[in-house]
Amino acid sequence: MRLSRKSEYGLRALLELTKAYDQVALRRSDIAEAQHVPVGFLETILLELKRAGILGSRPGVQGGYRLIKPPEDVSVGQVIRILDGPLAPIPCVSRTAYQTCQDCPYSEARNCPIQNVMFDVRNAIAGVLDGYTLRAFYDRDRKSSSPKISQTSRK
């Protein structure tokens, strides 16, 4: 699995929206500037997240986007699935978009050696990404962004 620009920008925007949760709505231009994301591309992403029920928006001077779901209730995996589709590396191991593989000699027998390994891959990826909520993702980002105290500066 490779994280697309769309998901990367979506997660960066959601960091900003998590920071402002229960405070103010953020204009897309402010989100774009803070996270160095192209405004036009960001609008498409924000609309997809709104359609999925994660964001709400309000027009006008006091308008903008805001999280309507608590950041503790939205996983990083959920966001990536909304923006990019299934996390599974092959369609026959997807939980959300299962499809049999074309021309697979194992499709009837269900003993495909590739499928067995890809189940493990899918489960590992989903386990990590579904284990991080937006709140945990934000908290982890905030910790890694805090200034580090070196041994010499403690004196």
Side-chain angles (χ1 to χ4, degrees):
M1 184 205 133
R2 181 182 166 102
L3 189 67
S4 71
R5 285 274 185 202
K6 187 178 189 181
S7 284
E8 178 189 344
Y9 290 166
L11 289 169
R12 286 166 49 185
L14 288 167
L15 281 174
E16 287 302 308
L17 291 161
T18 299
K19 187 186 315 181
Y21 181 68
D22 270 349
Q23 295 171 21
V24 296
L26 299 178
R27 295 181 305 176
R28 72 171 185 238
S29 59
D30 293 335
I31 297 168
E33 184 178 327
Q35 289 295 325
H36 309 285
V37 175
V39 175
F41 193 24
L42 181 61
E43 179 64 17
T44 302
I45 294 166
L46 295 173
L47 288 173
E48 282 189 51
L49 294 170
K50 181 180 175 184
R51 277 192 295 275
I54 292 176
L55 300 181
S57 67
R58 190 173 63 194
V61 177
Q62 299 296 319
Y65 286 91
R66 66 178 341 127
L67 280 171
I68 58 172
K69 281 188 156 185
E72 297 79 20
D73 294 346
V74 179
S75 76
V76 170
Q78 181 183 3
V79 172
I80 293 171
R81 284 182 191 95
I82 290 166
L83 297 174
D84 283 342
L87 300 176
I90 58 176
C92 64
V93 298
S94 175
R95 286 187 184 162
T96 59
Y98 175 85
Q99 295 176 5
T100 55
C101 297
Q102 293 180 346
D103 302 325
C104 178
Y106 298 102
S107 62
E108 295 300 318
R110 298 240 184 246
N111 63 352
C112 175
I114 296 169
Q115 186 182 54
N116 294 334
V117 171
M118 292 302 121
F119 267 124
D120 291 343
V121 171
R122 189 248 2 243
N123 290 340
I125 291 169
V128 171
L129 295 176
D130 290 337
Y132 274 97
T133 64
L134 291 181
R135 173 66 65 206
F137 186 55
Y138 170 74
D139 289 344
R140 184 175 178 144
D141 177 67
R142 202 174 65 207
K143 283 181 189 173
S144 68
S145 298
S146 63
K148 305 286 187 247
I149 299 173
S150 69
Q151 294 289 24
T152 56
S153 64
R154 286 185 174 178
K155 297 179 180 176

